[in-house]
Amino acid sequence: MNETLSTVKSRRPQYAWVVAGVAVLVLLGSAGFRSTPGLMMDALHTEFGWSHATISAAVSVNLTLYGLTAPFAAALMDRFGVRLIVVSALLTISTGAGLTMLMTQSWQLVLCWGVLVGLGSGSMAGAFATTVSGRWFAARQGLVTGVLTAAGAAGNLVFMPLLAWLVEEHGWRTAVVVVSVSATVVALPVLLLMRERPADLGLLPYGATEQPPAPSTDGSAILRSLRILRGVSRSRAFWLLAGSFAICGATTAGLVGTHFIPAAHDHGMAVTTAAGLLALVGVFDVVGTIASGWFTDRFDSRSLLITYYALRGLSLLFLPQLFAGSPEPPILAFVIFYGLDWVATVPPTIALCRRHFGADAPVVFGWVLACHQLGAALVAGLAGLSRDRFGDYDLAWYGAGALCAVAVLLCLGLGRSTPARPVTAAA
């Protein structure tokens, strides 16, 4: 019996998994590179006398550009290709980190780590994961999105303990050299192995039975991103997703990712120990986010988001009472509980973007992610100011818990949606 062309193609070895593996490596590195300033905060304060608010300002710029770059990066990937954009982003990170070694003024920290590293890491943010999973997978999209998202958390696991040790033992300049070199090294497998679309290799997306249409690449990528934003800005669903995801950013990257280590150090904990705990958050986040991707393929995404934000808020309300000079059982319990929830919100948020906005979902999610990072940037700066003003971070933790309650209300406003029937890959 003759087989159809589509059946033959679907049974060929799937290069989709190679592309996903390269994407995991890129996202691992990107997360580790971007999170380094939190490790250097006390070292920079000691050497230059800069306040926590001043150093947090550089982190805020980084987080803002990380978010604002994402929607344009998605459109640029459609226009010029994933490989070119990702390699350029990695080299931008390498340059920004390397130049940090020469700084003597706080504005140089803002320029190098805020602007350059922010632009580079933003080009490899959630829009990259959405683009890869959307182009290469029809089956198991939620699971693959969860794995790629978890790679960002795992980047903290891989890099933070090493970088914290380097900062403590050899100074912060050694740590930024490692970041700069590593970003360049990660660019090599992207150049060698990354491909744009399954059709380039005569393949279908994993689990698909027909080739999906390619998005339009005519005209300016920037104009396309802005045109999509203008269209979706009339959608109630967009603003509910953007608002809740802004709170997600505020209560993860903005607060915990930036200030957990100095907050723990305020209570007498060594920087390397606090970095190890934050890395442990990444371990459990890998588990939680992959599980969230699996759940997203099977359950109502809105209900998942409501559950995640409610649990996160509760954990943050308890955190001020859990800090100690050593990793006692209560703070370890927080690390496990909070870690399972860290970015578990990403797969259901991406699924809701796909459901509401179809083929434009990568760019739309880029704008939603921009709101995520704006929320993170705002809270990163405010938490630094709060620490300088009151001498501790307690107000920031309690405020974050209250924000999670607002996120629950926003998600309740989204219409209930039953996930589409999972696509099963061809045998």
Side-chain angles (χ1 to χ4, degrees):
M1 177 183 288
N2 293 329
E3 293 181 299
T4 65
L5 178 61
S6 63
T7 302
V8 172
K9 287 182 177 179
S10 65
R11 290 184 179 181
R12 289 176 61 181
Q14 279 296 333
Y15 199 78
W17 296 110
V18 176
V19 173
V22 174
V24 165
L25 179 63
V26 168
L27 292 166
L28 277 170
S30 177
F33 305 151
R34 186 178 56 81
S35 61
T36 306
L39 299 170
M40 304 190 303
M41 192 170 292
D42 287 314
L44 294 176
H45 174 71
T46 299
E47 179 170 337
F48 297 106
W50 300 336
S51 70
H52 287 77
T54 297
I55 301 169
S56 297
V59 178
S60 293
V61 171
N62 177 293
L63 292 170
T64 299
L65 291 177
Y66 178 93
L68 293 178
T69 303
F72 299 106
L76 287 169
M77 287 176 189
D78 286 339
R79 182 74 175 83
F80 298 107
V82 171
R83 181 161 51 182
L84 175 61
I85 299 305
V86 171
V87 169
S88 299
L90 287 166
L91 295 180
T92 300
I93 289 175
S94 178
T95 301
L99 289 175
T100 308
M101 289 176 47
L102 306 176
M103 68 181 181
T104 58
Q105 303 293 325
S106 59
W107 67 265
Q108 294 165 341
L109 177 66
V110 173
L111 174 63
C112 294
W113 217 277
V115 176
L116 293 178
V117 177
L119 288 173
S121 57
S123 298
M124 299 178 296
F128 173 54
T130 309
T131 298
V132 169
S133 61
R135 286 185 183 183
W136 285 89
F137 293 87
R140 302 185 178 92
Q141 272 190 355
L143 178 61
V144 173
T145 301
V147 171
L148 295 180
T149 304
N156 289 335
L157 167 66
V158 172
F159 281 94
M160 290 195 74
L162 170 63
L163 293 174
W165 178 79
L166 288 173
V167 170
E168 287 284 293
E169 298 297 325
H170 301 285
W172 61 268
R173 288 178 178 82
T174 302
V176 299
V177 169
V178 171
V179 169
S180 181
V181 172
S182 297
T184 302
V185 170
V186 170
L188 295 178
V190 178
L191 279 171
L192 296 174
L193 299 173
M194 180 63 71
R195 296 296 181 270
E196 297 302 322
R197 300 178 187 280
D200 296 344
L201 301 176
L203 296 171
L204 296 173
Y206 182 80
T209 57
E210 61 182 14
Q211 199 67 252
S216 172
T217 59
D218 296 333
S220 166
I222 293 176
L223 291 178
R224 177 172 175 247
S225 297
L226 294 174
R227 186 169 60 250
I228 290 173
L229 175 62
R230 183 176 62 185
V232 301
S233 64
R234 305 185 184 96
S235 166
R236 179 170 174 265
F238 171 77
W239 290 111
L240 291 171
L241 287 169
S244 60
F245 216 45
I247 292 172
C248 177
T251 54
T252 54
L255 182 56
V256 176
T258 304
H259 293 285
F260 179 86
I261 292 173
H265 189 59
D266 284 346
H267 288 79
M269 186 177 291
V271 170
T272 50
T273 303
L277 288 177
L278 199 55
L280 195 57
V281 168
V283 174
F284 288 98
D285 185 29
V286 171
V287 177
T289 306
I290 293 175
S292 179
W294 188 87
F295 293 149
T296 300
D297 285 333
R298 290 159 176 79
F299 302 108
D300 172 35
S301 295
R302 185 194 69 153
S303 297
L304 292 175
L305 288 177
I306 290 169
T307 302
Y308 297 155
Y309 285 124
L311 294 176
R312 182 184 300 174
L314 286 173
S315 67
L316 290 170
L317 289 174
F318 282 105
L319 181 58
Q321 284 75 47
L322 305 182
F323 281 118
S326 60
E328 302 292 336
I331 194 68
L332 292 174
F334 168 83
V335 164
I336 295 170
F337 190 80
Y338 180 85
L340 290 170
D341 198 316
W342 175 275
V343 287
T345 55
V346 174
T349 301
I350 290 176
L352 288 168
C353 285
R354 287 194 177 116
R355 187 174 302 280
H356 286 282
F357 307 109
D360 289 330
V363 177
V364 175
F365 180 70
W367 285 114
V368 172
L369 181 62
C371 295
H372 178 282
Q373 295 307 115
L374 288 173
L378 178 62
V379 169
L382 290 176
L385 288 171
S386 176
R387 167 63 177 77
D388 289 338
R389 175 67 178 82
F390 300 107
D392 59 45
Y393 286 99
D394 288 3
L395 181 62
W397 304 126
Y398 294 135
L403 282 175
C404 287
V406 175
V408 168
L409 294 176
L410 292 173
C411 293
L412 284 169
L414 290 165
R416 184 177 179 84
S417 58
T418 303
R421 191 173 187 174
V423 181
T424 304

